[in-house]
Amino acid sequence: MMNPALRRILVRHETLLVVVLILEVLFFATQGRNFLTPDNLTNIIRHSVEIGLLALVMMPIILTGGIDLSVGSLLGLCAVTFGKLWRDAGWGWEWAALGTVVVGFVAGGGNALLITALRLPPLIVTLGTYSLFRGLAEALTRGVDAFTGFPEGFLFLGTGQWLGLPAQAWLFGLVAVGIGLWVHNTTFGRSFRAIGFAPEGARYAGVPVERRLALAYVLAGVVAALASITYTARFGTAKADAGTGYELAAITAVVLGGTSIFGGVGSVGGTLLGVAAIAVLTNGLSRLPATMSSASELSGVFTGVLLLLALGAGILPKAIAALRDRRSSAQTPAQPVP
Amino acid sequence: MTKSFFHLLSAAIAMAALLGTGCGPSNNSASGDGATQTAGGSGKKLMIALMPKSKGNAYFVSCKQGAERAAKELGVDLVFDGPTNPDPAKQNEIIENWITLGVDAIAAACENRDGISTALRKAQAKGIKVITYDSDAQPDARSFFVNQATPEGIGYTLMDEAGRLVGPSGEFAIITASLTAANMNEWQKHIEARRKEKFPNLKMVALRPCDDLKDKAQAEATTLLGAYPNLNLIMAICSPAVPGSAEAVKQAGKAGKVKVIGLGLPSENRRYVKDGVTDSVILWKTEDLGYLAVHAAKGLADGTLKPGAKSYQAGALGQFEIVGDHLLLGKPFIFNKDNIDQFNF
């Protein structure tokens, strides 16, 4: 299934991202103000953990050729749930966090059920739950209620340092290693790739496609709940609009990281590089004297430019290789069906 | 080998693109002198950061114009950044970035009072001076709040304007956002106090909520016009209600007969003011608000403004009163036919 040429293209994309990342760091370190300071590196990590977590679980889903548009809204719903359980139900924050993860599990399970049992397209299902979850979050708080005044022990998860790193970096690292091993080093995870290439083919090959798809969406729900915890702990406030637009930021990072939006191709390492490239760019722009006052807008523009360039640079050698293949042999290689 | 060639080529493209995008804006930026000044990181110029609730909002764009004027007069570097999309955590992220950037003072308009206070306290802990303007944070998260309008100032100005337009006796109605909104109830208290004191024969005949919706305000105003044939004036105290009431009066053909005044943005009401439907729109000069915010932030940073001060001298704008830890912008400003074209927010 996985031919060596394709593998090499993957490697190539990641190398490209590493080069981009190094250039970004060099550029901002020399041109920006106080960029390479421990405090600022902490900022970069803290500010990208939630989007990074969502990107990590979005990656296997996109790898199967699916998509989950509901994770940002689910983050909002989970943040509100956490606030409700802690303040209104009077649970300790640890229990409230556990309850929130259960809500994420159930919400992800709902997505999974609709997608696998009813065979509805993930785009449609999660577009629906995108509205549903945000709507529920707003209904629970009537749009205005905000939960605040959380205990110090909880806020530590979002603002504290542990063993020299921001507290939430440890959670992020754990999830990243777990998903990386799962996707690349288990037959289970590797079957995502097969499903993304050709779901019917995978089914005939004996892969329990539905069950595996379902797990990817459930996992997205659980991790979105974890992201809502670090988000609330970092921000100190849980409100229904938490995580607005995060699903698109996560998808952007995954695609920038080299995962094909049609499925079948991608790597967790690439996704991590994609997250890092965007995070460094966004932060760096706010430290260039010339772009300080327009960093918010420019980071959007440059992320877009970076995405298009990375995709273009990724496709160019592939297109030329395909052209050469066609010329050298009469037999055209079978194209993966999107 | 061709493969490694393409590998190299892609990397080169990315490199060129990155350098290109990175250098591009620094060459043609308006703050070119700032670029050379602070590149070394040891410029003695103070750096003041100003945060709007959202960047595209015309109200804050106009605050920024005043802020830029103040920065120029004071010789400080001004950083203006804020969220462009409704992401509540963005304000915090920007402030955290400003802390490590090493700005000297921050002036923020707070979207989420409790949320932003965490970040502002962190800034204060790092020795950065913090003030708020337009909408406050928690008192312990900043030194001063630049208060654009006191409830008394708003209430008195509205009532005085009503009295000026209607005369000593007549009838008026108020359209508010909701009967429970704390700030509006506070304004009404002062409107009533002023009425009793100066215009005892001007009667308030009705008080209607419009849920902060223009359509609903228009419907309420239409009902009022029918129910009170002797009505002289509608006072709209939430911003959608001003154009809403004006539209109702216009459609009823009562322009000029029933006056409309209210609290709102000049831009939303310009049409009605010029048509003679709305007589006055009351707000503050947002440019002055931005000017004062930056000026006071600089004052805090260099020690000319200290906690406990009773007044503050802000350059070209003169002296401002301080009550407690509120720096008062002063009386609201009245926009009417003669001056409304000078304002674009």
Side-chain angles (χ1 to χ4, degrees):
Chain A
M1 193 94 240
M2 187 79 192
N3 62 50
L6 210 56
R7 194 178 287 275
R8 237 171 284 139
I9 288 167
L10 261 181
V11 170
R12 196 173 292 168
H13 189 89
E14 282 153 2
T15 338
L16 180 71
L17 279 174
V18 169
V19 171
V20 166
L21 197 57
I22 290 172
L23 284 174
E24 280 183 1
V25 171
L26 282 178
F27 182 73
F28 291 124
T30 52
Q31 301 297 310
R33 181 163 151 159
N34 295 348
F35 176 77
L36 271 187
T37 60
D39 278 352
N40 192 44
L41 295 180
T42 303
N43 270 356
I44 295 178
I45 295 170
R46 277 200 213 291
H47 297 171
S48 48
V49 159
E50 288 87 26
I51 287 173
L53 283 173
L54 296 183
L56 278 173
V57 281
M58 185 72 77
M59 188 268 160
I61 290 179
I62 294 183
L63 194 59
T64 66
I67 195 118
D68 190 342
L69 296 177
S70 70
V71 287
S73 300
L74 185 55
L75 195 159
L77 177 60
C78 286
V80 166
T81 308
F82 177 77
K84 278 247 160 213
L85 290 176
W86 174 75
R87 192 193 67 186
D88 297 348
W91 294 17
W93 69 261
E94 299 89 345
W95 291 106
L98 200 67
T100 304
V101 172
V102 171
V103 169
F105 178 84
V106 170
N111 277 337
L113 198 70
L114 290 169
I115 290 165
T116 56
L118 302 181
R119 297 258 180 118
L120 293 170
L123 183 75
I124 308 296
V125 169
T126 58
L127 190 62
T129 49
Y130 161 84
S131 294
L132 177 71
F133 295 155
R134 185 69 68 195
L136 280 174
E138 283 162 358
L140 279 172
T141 58
R142 281 188 243 100
V144 291
D145 201 1
F147 303 91
T148 184
F150 295 107
E152 278 304 316
F154 170 68
L155 295 178
F156 179 84
L157 297 180
T159 55
Q161 300 263 7
W162 194 56
L163 302 180
L165 280 176
Q168 62 265 59
W170 293 100
L171 173 73
F172 181 72
L174 199 70
V175 173
V177 169
I179 291 191
L181 290 176
W182 185 51
V183 168
H184 294 294
N185 294 10
T186 65
T187 42
F188 193 125
R190 278 197 296 262
S191 66
F192 286 156
R193 215 174 290 267
I195 296 170
F197 264 124
E200 289 311 311
R203 198 168 283 128
Y204 288 130
V207 176
V209 173
E210 268 68 39
R211 242 183 298 156
R212 302 219 161 155
L213 277 182
L215 196 76
Y217 288 92
V218 170
L219 189 73
V222 170
V223 172
L226 292 178
S228 83
I229 305 288
T230 65
Y231 179 97
T232 307
R234 171 165 70 91
F235 193 36
T237 304
K239 208 161 162 264
D241 54 1
T244 305
Y246 278 23
E247 62 285 331
L248 289 183
I251 293 169
T252 305
V254 173
V255 174
L256 179 63
T259 302
S260 163
I261 199 76
F262 300 117
V265 181
S267 76
V268 174
T271 298
L272 290 174
L273 285 169
V275 171
I278 294 175
V280 168
L281 182 69
T282 309
N283 179 283
L285 284 172
S286 71
R287 2 213 98 234
L288 291 183
T291 56
M292 257 172 210
S293 286
S294 42
S296 310
E297 301 92 316
L298 286 178
S299 67
V301 172
F302 287 151
T303 304
V305 170
L306 195 61
L307 186 63
L308 294 175
L309 282 170
L311 293 185
I315 284 167
L316 195 67
K318 212 197 296 190
I320 290 170
L323 202 73
R324 202 182 42 210
D325 278 357
R326 203 174 306 161
R327 220 180 293 158
S328 64
S329 75
Q331 199 165 2
T332 43
Q335 281 294 106
V337 185
Chain B
M1 287 296 282
T2 39
K3 245 168 223 156
S4 55
F5 170 70
F6 285 122
H7 184 175
L8 217 68
L9 183 71
S10 345
I13 290 171
M15 193 184 310
L18 191 82
L19 290 175
T21 50
C23 295
S26 64
N27 291 336
N28 51 25
S29 163
S31 57
D33 60 327
T36 49
Q37 266 279 336
T38 45
S42 57
K44 270 280 161 259
K45 244 177 161 184
L46 285 178
M47 186 182 276
I48 312 283
L50 182 74
M51 172 166 298
K53 277 188 178 179
S54 76
K55 273 183 106 169
N57 190 331
Y59 177 95
F60 286 105
V61 171
S62 143
C63 284
K64 182 190 171 198
Q65 285 166 357
E68 279 169 346
R69 213 175 66 225
K72 209 168 179 187
E73 284 176 26
L74 295 167
V76 299
D77 282 325
L78 178 70
V79 185
F80 176 83
D81 203 8
T84 50
N85 55 349
D87 174 4
K90 193 76 195 172
Q91 280 203 324
N92 282 38
E93 286 174 14
I94 293 171
I95 285 173
E96 280 165 7
N97 279 340
W98 281 345
I99 296 171
T100 57
L101 184 63
V103 300
D104 298 289
I106 292 173
C110 310
E111 178 74 52
N112 183 321
R113 187 187 168 90
D114 300 314
I116 201 169
S117 295
T118 324
L120 292 179
R121 276 187 211 108
K122 206 189 281 177
Q124 284 183 322
K126 297 264 177 183
I128 296 169
K129 300 294 180 190
V130 176
I131 66 162
T132 51
Y133 72 102
D134 184 71
S135 34
D136 203 1
Q138 285 169 353
D140 68 324
R142 46 83 179 150
S143 303
F144 286 99
F145 170 50
V146 180
N147 191 337
Q148 67 274 34
T150 59
E152 186 182 278
I154 290 175
Y156 283 20
T157 310
L158 280 166
M159 198 58 226
D160 288 351
E161 199 57 12
R164 185 183 72 81
L165 289 165
V166 177
S169 70
E171 291 183 355
F172 73 99
I174 296 181
I175 297 184
T176 179
S178 84
L179 299 175
T180 53
N183 54 350
M184 298 195 185
N185 285 341
E186 192 68 19
W187 298 340
Q188 265 162 253
K189 219 171 70 195
H190 291 285
I191 292 171
E192 179 56 21
R194 190 64 161 185
R195 190 195 68 82
K196 261 197 188 142
E197 177 200 338
K198 286 193 79 178
F199 312 99
N201 294 322
L202 257 178
K203 272 198 205 84
M204 188 185 96
V205 293
L207 170 69
R208 299 276 184 208
C210 75
D211 299 339
D212 236 341
L213 297 170
K214 194 183 155 205
D215 294 357
K216 181 114 191 275
Q218 190 178 334
E220 287 292 347
T222 306
T223 314
L224 287 171
L225 292 171
Y228 303 96
N230 298 323
L231 195 68
N232 301 102
L233 178 136
I234 296 176
M235 185 189 287
I237 62 174
C238 63
S239 65
V242 194
S245 309
E247 188 59 39
V249 168
K250 193 179 173 187
Q251 286 182 13
K254 293 194 173 174
K257 256 186 77 194
V258 178
K259 317 264 186 200
V260 178
I261 65 171
L263 283 180
L265 293 172
S267 59
E268 286 178 343
N269 297 290
R270 182 168 294 128
R271 196 153 54 92
Y272 299 109
V273 171
K274 295 190 117 181
D275 287 353
V277 185
T278 303
D279 284 278
S280 22
V281 177
I282 291 154
L283 201 70
W284 37 91
K285 279 194 175 168
T286 47
E287 264 192 52
D288 291 358
L289 179 60
Y291 184 98
L292 183 56
V294 167
H295 211 291
K298 191 254 174 190
L300 265 177
D302 69 10
T304 39
L305 174 61
K306 286 195 177 73
K310 292 281 164 240
S311 70
Y312 181 65
Q313 185 71 33
L317 290 188
Q319 184 132 326
F320 290 89
E321 193 191 347
I322 297 174
V323 177
D325 52 11
H326 283 208
L327 177 53
L328 305 179
L329 184 64
K331 274 194 179 160
F333 185 76
I334 300 171
F335 300 91
N336 55 32
K337 214 174 207 163
D338 301 325
N339 63 20
I340 199 160
D341 273 338
Q342 301 161 27
F343 303 93
N344 58 356
F345 58 97

